[in-house]
Amino acid sequence: MLPDGGWRAGLPLAAWRAVTTLGAPLLPFWLAGRARRGKEDPARLRERRGEGAARPPGPLLWLHGASVGESQSALPLVEALARVRPDLHFLLTTGTRTAAQVLAERLPPGLAPRVQHRFVPLDVPAHAARFLDGWRPDAAVLIESEIWPNLIGAAAARGVPIALVNARLSARSARGWGRLPAVARRLFGAFALVAAQTEEDAARLRALGAADARAWGNLKFSARPLPAPEPELAAMRAAIGARPVLLAASTHPGEDAQVAKAHGRLRARLPGLLTVIAPRHPERGPALARELAEAGGIALRSAGEMPGPGTAIYLADTIGELGLHYRLAGAALIGGSLVPHGGQNPLEAARLGCPVLLGPHTQNFTAIADRMVEAGAALRVDGPEALAEAAGSVLTEPDRARSMTEAAARIAADAGALPERMAGAIEALLPASPHQGDGARPAA
């Protein structure tokens, strides 16, 4: 049951249930529009109504992460739980097609038979009920900031223990929830476990009703190194040869032009420079090719093109290939940090030995970004001129690049134990294994 929040919580939550119920007949049209734009899988729209359950026998843990980053965070946690509980099956839900594709590509083959993926149902009471009654999870884990009142309320009403892990809550979001304090207490108080990324996140969550919120760190820092198929890696290395490579990874609108300007400045110092731009949203590739045409020598990976001798800027507008590009680059700007987006995960590059450059906007990863800069594992840049200067120094000074990657590797290694710690806390929410107490443990 949800914690009692009195009528001050009950009325807004009842209003939300009414609005979502009344609006439900319009949602198929909205989903169809998203499907036409490629944002939904047309063959799987029924999952957004909570349909398609195929519950396996035995204990089942439901984990939900909205998009690529959150779902990737779930993988080391699932692996840790699978080692501890050999009888446990997993339902992973996401809200985006990209996240579903990345999960399919990165799920370890030995774990795949125990994992099913579905798209999360929309937060409509009937959809939530159909989903939960079909799957009957023994516990639920929401990742980061997925607070859906109808889903949470329906799970609590069915006695499903819910954890919120890798939780983050910005000051702006906390102020928003603070305008409905009774609702916040009722929703955040429903979690049996709250593990936040930072102490600031934990403090905001405690103030909103998650009394036992703890700061445990960020699961994104525990992820396995991003993969890169050897044939593609060998082909790219052959195409690039000895050219120095600057990567702009997961860029957002407003950053690509700055990277192109930095490329132009660097070409005088490094005539053979190849700049690779990997947009956060790959569908931007063709538009970027037109936008950056003046830079000359544009090639698109989505079109099957390889970087040739005349390629100045290579647009890596594909999904799930950052592991490939980090392995090829001599320095990487982490996207979302030159514009006020908040930055992407800098440890993805660090784990693959790629020196890291960060813009001024890293609030999504404040603690780790500041730690990397302080330890000499990353350099700050604030625009095209600073980016060209920093990238040039890293690309031409091997000793500096080596010291940065060594410092970054030490920071990345520190985050390795979090999935096991979190798995232990989540396991306590599940029914006891029939093998518990006999000393049996699966091989690691």
Side-chain angles (χ1 to χ4, degrees):
M1 296 286 290
L2 281 170
D4 183 18
W7 64 269
R8 289 185 177 84
L11 286 179
L13 290 173
W16 176 248
R17 287 194 295 271
V19 167
T20 52
T21 297
L22 291 171
L26 301 176
L27 292 176
F29 301 100
W30 177 72
L31 287 171
R34 284 176 54 84
R36 286 192 296 272
R37 297 192 301 274
K39 295 183 177 297
E40 299 281 346
D41 184 339
R44 298 178 62 180
L45 293 181
R46 61 195 298 260
E47 294 173 21
R48 297 295 239 154
R49 300 190 295 271
E51 299 174 4
R55 194 195 194 284
L60 176 69
L61 179 66
W62 166 37
L63 300 100
H64 173 66
S67 192
V68 173
E70 295 88 345
S71 55
Q72 284 185 177
S73 298
L75 286 178
L77 181 57
V78 168
E79 292 179 77
L81 279 159
R83 289 192 293 269
V84 173
R85 288 292 297 266
D87 61 329
L88 186 60
H89 285 78
F90 303 90
L91 168 64
L92 296 184
T93 60
T94 64
T96 68
R97 295 185 71 178
T98 305
Q101 180 177 335
V102 170
L103 274 175
E105 293 170 351
R106 297 183 185 172
L107 191 67
L111 193 54
R114 296 168 62 182
V115 178
Q116 295 188 67
H117 173 269
R118 292 291 188 274
F119 290 109
V120 71
L122 299 175
D123 197 45
V124 174
H127 299 359
R130 187 179 298 118
F131 172 81
L132 290 164
D133 290 342
W135 286 101
R136 304 187 313 281
D138 292 288
V141 176
L142 308 184
I143 298 172
E144 290 205 9
S145 54
E146 285 292 282
I147 309 300
W148 294 107
N150 291 324
L151 270 171
I152 292 171
R158 287 159 174 77
V160 178
I162 316 169
L164 180 65
V165 305
N166 224 43
R168 64 186 180 97
L169 192 70
S170 68
R172 180 180 179 182
S173 294
R175 287 194 296 271
W177 283 109
R179 297 187 185 100
L180 294 169
V183 173
R185 283 194 301 272
R186 193 162 183 181
L187 289 173
F188 289 102
F191 294 111
L193 167 70
V194 178
Q197 294 183 15
T198 68
E199 183 52 48
E200 290 80 7
D201 293 313
R204 292 175 189 135
L205 288 160
R206 287 193 295 268
L208 291 172
D212 295 325
R214 293 163 272 179
W216 280 9
N218 194 331
L219 275 172
K220 288 180 179 176
F221 303 153
S222 306
R224 291 175 285 110
L226 297 177
E230 190 55 42
E232 284 85 346
L233 186 58
M236 284 288 288
R237 281 179 172 150
I240 293 170
R243 297 176 66 181
V245 178
L246 170 64
L247 169 65
S250 297
T251 59
H252 291 254
E255 293 183 303
D256 313 288
Q258 296 187 62
V259 173
K261 287 181 182 178
H263 171 87
R265 288 176 173 270
L266 267 173
R267 283 293 291 271
R269 183 175 178 183
L270 295 167
L273 177 68
L274 173 67
T275 293
V276 178
I277 298 178
R280 175 69 171 172
H281 301 288
E283 63 271 16
R284 293 201 298 123
L288 279 179
R290 295 188 295 271
E291 178 185 334
L292 304 180
E294 291 184 3
I298 306 291
L300 279 87
R301 186 160 179 81
S302 64
E305 299 170 347
M306 295 290 281
T311 304
I313 295 179
Y314 188 58
L315 294 176
D317 55 338
T318 52
I319 293 172
E321 291 198 307
L322 271 182
L324 173 71
H325 303 302
Y326 280 134
R327 285 174 170 85
L328 297 166
L333 170 74
I334 306 304
S337 65
L338 277 181
V339 293
H341 175 79
Q344 306 300 142
N345 182 1
L347 286 186
E348 290 182 342
R351 281 196 176 84
L352 295 172
C354 184
V356 170
L357 309 176
L358 296 169
H361 305 286
T362 53
Q363 58 268 30
N364 290 344
F365 297 91
T366 297
I368 203 71
D370 290 349
R371 185 179 173 192
M372 290 181 71
V373 172
E374 291 166 7
L379 297 176
R380 290 277 189 192
V381 299
D382 60 3
E385 295 80 7
L387 174 57
E389 178 63 30
S393 67
V394 174
L395 291 171
T396 58
E397 300 173 25
D399 289 342
R400 182 171 199 179
R402 188 179 307 110
S403 68
M404 289 176 67
T405 57
E406 289 173 353
R410 288 191 291 271
I411 294 172
D414 288 345
L418 181 57
E420 283 72 21
R421 181 185 183 191
M422 202 168 281
I426 292 169
E427 186 191 11
L429 305 180
L430 292 163
S433 167
H435 303 292
Q436 282 180 348
D438 64 6
R441 281 284 194 226

